[in-house]
Amino acid sequence: MNEEYFDKLARLTALRGVNAQPSQTIVLNSPIEAAPLARKIARYAYEAGAREVIVNYSDAKLNHDRYLMADPDVFNECPDWKADFYNQTAEDGASYISITGNDPNLMKDINPSYRILEMRQARLKQDKYRKKN
């Protein structure tokens, strides 16, 4: 895809998708291979007046290995710091953007009910903000 397309996509995401506002925090989750797009989105959000753009990069191949080899107990836990981060940013009115990876077959050998679902359920249990509302 060309540079002009990514620029339009980034602008649309920041200005229309989350409607970045002055003094607002934007939390942007992105795979490392999408860093150029994440940077463009952040730039447009800042130009719209965003107070801060917090970018959390992930590595899909490393996550794949984690799902295959990490201790199973890891997937039943959510660190307090992570829950606190999302709860606090939500309470402060942050907007969230998540970019997904481009390899639909990367996790095909992972049993979603065994690892991925357990991890998501653990995060929901830690989600104090959602419990309040």
Side-chain angles (χ1 to χ4, degrees):
M1 292 187 202
N2 66 33
E3 193 71 20
E4 183 180 345
Y5 173 81
F6 280 117
D7 194 66
K8 287 180 180 180
L9 178 61
R11 187 173 191 279
L12 179 67
T13 301
L15 303 182
R16 299 284 185 206
V18 294
N19 191 22
Q21 297 292 308
S23 303
Q24 183 180 37
T25 296
I26 308 291
V27 178
L28 173 56
N29 298 306
S30 173
I32 56 175
E33 65 266 17
L37 177 60
R39 288 185 201 109
K40 286 179 180 288
I41 293 170
R43 186 190 74 231
Y44 280 113
Y46 280 126
E47 287 176 358
R51 177 179 179 271
E52 181 177 23
V53 179
I54 301 168
V55 181
N56 298 313
Y57 286 113
S58 62
D59 183 325
K61 291 180 182 180
L62 182 58
N63 286 339
H64 174 267
D65 290 346
R66 179 175 179 252
Y67 288 131
L68 281 178
M69 296 181 264
D71 185 312
D73 290 339
V74 168
F75 301 98
N76 292 312
E77 303 166 355
C78 179
D80 287 340
W81 65 266
K82 188 174 277 190
D84 291 344
F85 168 79
Y86 282 101
N87 291 327
Q88 186 61 54
T89 54
E91 288 174 9
D92 292 344
S95 289
Y96 299 87
I97 301 168
S98 291
I99 302 171
T100 59
N102 61 359
D103 184 353
N105 294 314
L106 182 64
M107 300 291 185
K108 70 181 178 185
D109 59 334
I110 307 294
N111 180 346
S113 65
Y114 176 62
R115 299 280 171 119
I116 299 170
L117 185 59
E118 288 176 1
M119 184 180 66
R120 287 185 180 157
Q121 288 173 339
R123 286 183 180 165
L124 286 173
K125 288 177 190 173
Q126 289 289 113
D127 196 343
K128 299 168 195 152
Y129 180 75
R130 287 185 189 178
K131 288 180 183 178
K132 285 195 280 187
N133 293 318

